[in-house]
Amino acid sequence: MNEKFLKPYDPKETEDRIYKLWEKSGFFNPDNLPEKDKGYFSIVLPPPNVTGTLHLGHALEDSIQDLAVRYKRMKGFKTLWLPGTDHAAIATQAKVEKEIQKKEGKSRYDLGREEMLRRVKEFAQQSHDTIVSQVRKMGASLDWSREAFTLDERRNLAVKTAFKSMYDAGLIYRGNRIVNWDPKGQTTISDDEIVYEERKAKLYTFKYSKDFPIYISTTRPETKVGDVAVAVHPEDERYEKFIGQEFDAEFCGVAIHIKIIADKEVDKEFGTGALGVTPAHSMTDWEIADRHDLPRPQVINEYAKMTVGDERLLNKKTTEAREVIVNWLRSEGLLEKEEEISQNVATAERTGGIIEPLPKLQWFIAVNKPIKERGGKTLKDLMREPVEKGEIKIIPDRFEKVYYHWIENLRDWCISRQIWYGHQIPVWYRSASLTTDQKKEICCDINSPEGEGWEQDSDTLDTWFSSGLWTFSTLGWPEKTGDLKNYHPTSLINPGYEILFFWVARMILMSQFLLGEIPFKTVFLHGILRDKNGKKFSKSSGNNIDPVEIIEKYGADALRMSLISGTGMGNDSNFDENKVKGYKNFANKIWNITRFILENTDLEDFSSLKDAGPLSKEFEDMANDMTSDMENYRFHLAAEKIYQYIWHRFADEILEDSKKVIKEGDDNSKKEVKKSLAYIWINCVKMLHPFMPFVTEEIWSMLPQKRNNLLMIEEWPF
RNA sequence: GCACUCUUAGCUCAGCUGGUUAGAGCGUGCGAUUCACAUUCGCAAGGUCAUAGGUUCGAAUCCUAUAGGGUGCACCA
């Protein structure tokens, strides 16, 4: 017996060594797996953002996926788990900008595009390297030979190809529309990148001029210089008689022309029941302007400063302009009342800037446009249908409803960003001005067009555009590769439910349109891992834990097991270090069980054993139950089952009972008992392997076997 | 406003399609120990499964309502 067993199990000594052994074996790459004719199984790793290092939430994700992957591999599938990282455009650039601002007091404009990009890339590379080493520490059996990055060259080709094909189909268009402008990050963002924060605000009720017949309410008086109408509900008796009338007014030095219109969007109960329509600076007002064919004067610019008025307003920040206007209203006797209300303020997810809705010329994906090549279906249809038909299964299924609801409310997706880090839009223009003249020559292609004077659009793409291609861009698309044929649609995707819209929906959109097939068959959503007190892990609240820190202390096996067991599907869970400690003890327990078995069963070859004698049925029932849990993604139950069986049935009872026989029994019964102990044990070690791969692999290498396989490719029992 | 979700032992949570005395881990109390393991073992205490109704032979599990916590979406003038 190996003398290692005389000491407690030491994950530190074991884990890195075992990981190297696995990598050397080549079995992470399915091309090297033995042929078993069971078919293919594939997962792409949700690529972590290169904005920093991994936290425990990633460890949870890695644990679940590695568990699924190792199980399928043992089941004999050609199993591919494909790693990669995400450039996370805005998030990464914003992070680096922040640091440079803090350390050097410089903005990205001070550095210039080229130098800024160099800095971001450098940072991204460092993050990448840390992330990869963290993932390895977890024991993740990823095929590193296929590693991808959302911003590498192959993915860039995929992005350009996708863009062109959607452009040619008329689904990507450039339009002057109201967008979410982030004055802090100096870029547009999509609806999904907005976070609403509840804040106290003042609601002012006033009228534009003395002879104006209706009072209106607003929290943003400064935008009112851009008003073109007052909208009332069509059935509001109070205002019916005014509908259709038009008024001129001089509003704090700005001449405005107001038409009174009726629109069903207006809520009779809110404020005075009359809405001042500011088409250029409010999403709903923009739509009202659409319906009533109103002008849309812009009064605020990209820096959240006023662009109209005399010295009182012009070039003032919106917050200053607000005070000016409120004071003016007061002095003119137009202000009826002010009241405190709480309102949701739209802020940018990554920079925290307060969103300023502005009309801008941007690129969009049309989600409601009938697609000829798809029999008149829209992108929304293409997203909805595979889930409705059950081709894509979402687990837990309650998220299907959430998914449909999101699709119903979806507006055209703004994909252009005014940041530098990302995939540059593959469109070229031939004319001096890029922003104003729409009639100039335009060319969308994979490569820059022939001829003189072409200039590429300086905008980059929303990071989710490239992540949307992830299931197939990683497999070689647009080339028709063998990987694409074998591994797409992928079998399973396992993100947190918080990116169902951002990512899962977009992958379905992209794959459905570009490949005409689903990106994955099963979406298994996991919950969010929170800290001990139920708070979300985040860098800002200082509760971030590096998984490697926990691994150093307790071992990766213990961490994995603690994250998986006792957590209901799709439920959030709290991280508990004590639980990890408990599973470290468990690792030691199975270590010592092995020692006992090696000391007490003098069998030469475990692999030829066929059953566990009288204990066979009980054991096989447990194993079958557990296998069925594995098949149905009830990993937390499977983990609990094997744990309970090993510790409290096998060790506490079966093994204890065997002592007497081994000591006092006759030769025959001794031999029977030894055989069934050994039989149960090798199968327990196999079944525990997806959960605790390191310690089981280490144990496996010390059991007396004639075959000399790694445990990771052993056959799953029964 | 609409939807989803949670409320089970002191704490953190499991409990899959309704089925015998409701489970685990940690914690607590008592005890054991030359025995594979003190990172151990045995025993014990501790729950009217949020509340009120209903369906059923039978409900923690299904239905309805209520209360409290969380989340998403819409509105946010």
Side-chain angles (χ1 to χ4, degrees):
Chain A
M1 192 190 62
N2 195 308
E3 63 180 23
K4 270 184 194 166
F5 283 111
L6 300 177
K7 287 185 289 185
Y9 172 63
D10 179 10
K12 261 188 172 173
E13 187 280 319
T14 313
E15 292 182 351
D16 290 347
R17 177 168 47 80
I18 296 280
Y19 197 84
K20 276 184 201 134
L21 199 67
W22 288 330
E23 280 200 283
K24 215 178 123 197
S25 77
F27 293 137
F28 289 175
N29 181 343
D31 301 341
N32 302 326
L33 288 173
E35 284 300 334
K36 289 195 176 162
D37 225 22
K38 285 276 175 62
Y40 296 89
F41 182 85
S42 55
I43 308 184
V44 288
L45 177 77
N49 292 348
V50 289
T51 46
T53 57
L54 299 189
H55 52 71
L56 280 170
H58 293 102
L60 168 67
E61 206 166 84
D62 294 344
S63 303
I64 298 173
Q65 285 166 43
D66 194 45
L67 162 56
V69 161
R70 285 181 186 273
Y71 171 68
K72 289 291 178 180
R73 197 182 285 121
M74 291 175 82
K75 277 276 186 180
F77 289 83
K78 281 274 189 192
T79 303
L80 171 65
W81 187 20
L82 198 149
T85 46
D86 195 321
H87 71 290
I90 282 187
T92 311
Q93 182 175 312
K95 170 119 195 200
V96 175
E97 269 187 278
K98 224 182 199 170
E99 253 171 49
I100 292 175
Q101 186 62 248
K102 208 171 137 193
K103 283 185 191 153
E104 303 169 37
K106 286 182 183 166
S107 77
R108 76 193 212 221
Y109 303 103
D110 295 332
L111 293 180
R113 188 164 187 150
E114 206 176 314
E115 172 63 9
M116 182 67 204
L117 277 179
R118 198 189 61 76
R119 301 278 197 104
V120 177
K121 278 178 191 163
E122 194 182 0
F123 175 84
Q125 185 60 45
Q126 279 171 15
S127 292
H128 163 271
D129 296 349
T130 312
I131 288 169
V132 165
S133 79
Q134 285 175 308
V135 173
R136 281 187 151 92
K137 283 268 182 194
M138 288 299 299
S141 53
L142 287 153
D143 179 8
W144 296 105
S145 73
R146 285 176 167 88
E147 189 187 348
F149 180 48
T150 55
L151 193 55
D152 62 20
E153 226 156 89
R154 293 197 70 169
R155 263 44 69 177
N156 184 244
L157 177 64
V159 163
K160 288 189 288 191
T161 309
F163 190 99
K164 180 170 166 50
S165 120
M166 295 178 95
Y167 179 89
D168 292 344
L171 289 173
I172 288 184
Y173 66 94
R174 196 172 185 229
N176 195 25
R177 290 197 16 206
I178 191 161
V179 292
N180 307 303
W181 178 259
D182 170 13
K184 205 167 172 187
Q186 286 292 305
T187 180
T188 54
I189 60 171
S190 68
D191 295 343
D192 293 286
E193 287 166 294
I194 289 178
V195 178
Y196 289 96
E197 280 180 19
E198 198 168 299
R199 289 187 195 174
K200 290 255 180 270
K202 275 218 173 112
L203 184 68
Y204 302 94
T205 301
F206 66 92
K207 51 186 183 179
Y208 296 106
S209 65
K210 291 228 159 60
D211 59 344
F212 198 81
I214 301 174
Y215 280 97
I216 58 162
S217 301
T218 184
T219 52
R220 300 198 59 192
E222 76 279 9
T223 63
K224 297 290 105 180
V225 294
D227 279 16
V228 296
V230 164
V232 297
H233 195 274
E235 280 144 37
D236 196 329
E237 291 155 6
R238 292 172 295 180
Y239 303 124
E240 226 171 348
K241 55 179 175 285
F242 302 118
I243 294 169
Q245 293 184 13
E246 303 192 23
F247 296 84
D248 283 298
E250 171 98 355
F251 192 79
C252 196
V254 180
I256 55 173
H257 181 81
I258 305 289
K259 187 177 177 185
I260 298 178
I261 55 170
D263 195 287
K264 57 181 185 343
E265 249 334 84
V266 180
D267 178 0
K268 283 196 277 188
E269 310 301 319
F270 191 92
T272 61
L275 162 68
V277 181
T278 325
H281 300 290
S282 152
M283 292 283 174
T284 39
D285 294 9
W286 180 271
E287 281 162 16
I288 291 174
D290 269 345
R291 288 195 285 270
H292 298 271
D293 199 22
L294 300 168
R296 305 147 199 253
Q298 185 173 344
V299 298
I300 298 170
N301 68 13
E302 284 82 355
Y303 305 99
K305 286 183 176 164
M306 305 303 293
T307 59
V308 295
D310 51 32
E311 72 285 350
R312 287 173 291 175
L313 294 178
L314 192 64
N315 273 329
K316 290 262 164 64
K317 284 206 143 191
T318 50
T319 43
E320 293 166 29
R322 184 174 308 167
E323 272 179 54
V324 171
I325 286 182
V326 170
N327 285 335
W328 178 81
L329 285 170
R330 259 192 214 115
S331 68
E332 296 289 311
L334 296 171
L335 190 62
E336 163 86 355
K337 63 174 173 181
E338 326 176 14
E339 52 194 319
E340 281 254 302
I341 58 162
S342 75
Q343 64 161 5
N344 283 326
V345 178
T347 65
E349 187 198 22
R350 294 299 176 177
T351 65
I354 293 177
I355 297 305
E356 191 67 62
L358 287 180
K360 286 189 80 72
L361 186 59
Q362 297 292 324
W363 289 98
F364 296 89
I365 291 182
V367 292
N368 288 311
K369 186 176 177 182
I371 308 164
K372 264 189 240 150
E373 301 85 340
R374 291 286 189 283
K377 286 180 184 167
T378 65
L379 286 177
K380 274 189 180 178
D381 297 331
L382 294 185
M383 279 191 269
R384 194 189 303 107
E385 279 175 2
V387 179
E388 269 172 356
K389 286 184 191 155
E391 292 163 26
I392 297 178
K393 200 176 169 210
I394 300 183
I395 303 172
D397 57 9
R398 63 184 136 98
F399 287 106
E400 285 187 9
K401 229 176 170 175
V402 184
Y403 177 74
Y404 296 137
H405 189 240
W406 177 81
I407 293 177
E408 292 312 315
N409 288 306
L410 186 63
R411 285 188 273 204
D412 282 1
W413 173 16
C414 177
I415 51 170
S416 47
R417 298 289 180 272
Q418 290 67 54
I419 58 168
W420 298 335
Y421 186 55
H423 292 280
Q424 202 169 340
I425 289 177
V427 172
W428 284 260
Y429 309 94
R430 184 132 72 172
S431 121
S433 163
L434 291 183
T435 47
T436 51
D437 181 12
Q438 284 194 71
K439 283 181 185 152
K440 66 190 164 259
E441 237 182 311
I442 193 168
C443 170
C444 171
D445 211 336
I446 310 294
N447 300 306
S448 56
E450 304 275 318
E452 290 292 301
W454 287 101
E455 199 172 339
Q456 189 171 5
D457 195 314
S458 62
D459 284 0
T460 50
L461 285 166
D462 181 3
T463 188
W464 298 102
F465 188 96
S466 51
S467 345
L469 314 174
W470 193 240
T471 59
F472 49 91
S473 69
T474 51
L475 295 173
W477 187 87
E479 276 173 56
K480 287 188 177 127
T481 60
D483 272 5
L484 202 58
K485 185 169 161 275
N486 293 337
Y487 298 108
H488 205 272
T490 59
S491 316
L492 178 71
I493 194 96
N494 173 237
Y497 62 74
E498 78 273 17
I499 54 170
L500 178 61
F501 309 142
F502 277 127
W503 195 43
V504 177
R506 266 82 186 250
M507 283 192 285
I508 298 176
L509 182 158
M510 291 294 189
S511 185
Q512 283 279 91
F513 177 73
L514 295 165
L515 275 70
E517 67 181 33
I518 54 173
F520 30 66
K521 294 166 195 149
T522 302
V523 181
F524 179 48
L525 296 164
H526 64 76
I528 298 170
L529 185 69
R530 299 165 183 281
D531 74 5
K532 214 178 161 184
N533 306 312
K535 273 191 189 153
K536 244 179 136 165
F537 285 115
S538 74
K539 289 127 230 164
S540 51
S541 50
N543 59 355
N544 228 26
I545 301 177
D546 184 346
V548 173
E549 205 180 292
I550 303 294
I551 291 171
E552 295 282 323
K553 226 164 150 186
Y554 306 103
D557 289 328
L559 175 60
R560 292 167 60 119
M561 194 70 175
S562 79
L563 293 174
I564 282 161
S565 73
T567 304
M569 285 194 287
N571 288 350
D572 293 355
S573 55
N574 298 349
F575 179 71
D576 180 4
E577 200 170 321
N578 260 327
K579 203 167 156 191
V580 188
K581 200 173 158 192
Y583 285 109
K584 184 189 159 100
N585 296 351
F586 181 54
N588 192 57
K589 185 76 182 177
I590 64 175
W591 189 250
N592 279 298
I593 292 171
T594 309
R595 175 177 164 188
F596 176 88
I597 288 183
L598 290 177
E599 278 175 350
N600 291 285
T601 60
D602 38 10
L603 302 169
E604 274 166 25
D605 182 13
F606 282 16
S607 51
S608 61
L609 299 169
K610 285 287 171 290
D611 63 64
L615 296 168
S616 292
K617 186 175 183 316
E618 174 196 309
F619 177 66
E620 278 164 31
D621 284 351
M622 187 283 298
N624 287 329
D625 273 0
M626 188 195 158
T627 303
S628 132
D629 286 337
M630 298 290 278
E631 290 291 332
N632 294 294
Y633 304 99
R634 296 190 294 253
F635 299 136
H636 61 301
L637 296 182
E640 198 70 15
K641 242 161 229 167
I642 188 76
Y643 172 87
Q644 285 299 324
Y645 181 83
I646 288 178
W647 199 320
H648 299 299
R649 175 66 187 142
F650 186 67
D652 288 349
E653 295 171 1
I654 295 175
L655 213 136
E656 286 302 320
D657 292 348
S658 76
K659 286 179 181 171
K660 219 182 282 170
V661 183
I662 288 170
K663 225 179 215 171
E664 300 159 13
D666 56 70
D667 281 0
N668 201 35
S669 51
K670 266 189 204 174
K671 202 173 175 195
E672 284 309 307
V673 162
K674 287 175 182 176
K675 277 164 79 176
S676 45
L677 284 184
Y679 171 80
I680 292 177
W681 192 234
I682 54 165
N683 286 302
C684 280
V685 169
K686 283 182 193 172
M687 288 191 293
L688 194 58
H689 180 255
F691 299 86
M692 306 182 80
F694 289 111
V695 65
T696 48
E697 187 74 72
E698 174 76 343
I699 286 172
W700 189 256
S701 72
M702 302 190 209
L703 295 178
Q705 321 258 2
K706 273 184 192 148
R707 283 177 295 168
N708 203 21
N709 281 341
L710 284 175
L711 175 56
M712 68 173 283
I713 56 159
E714 270 297 318
E715 201 178 328
W716 183 264
F718 318 117

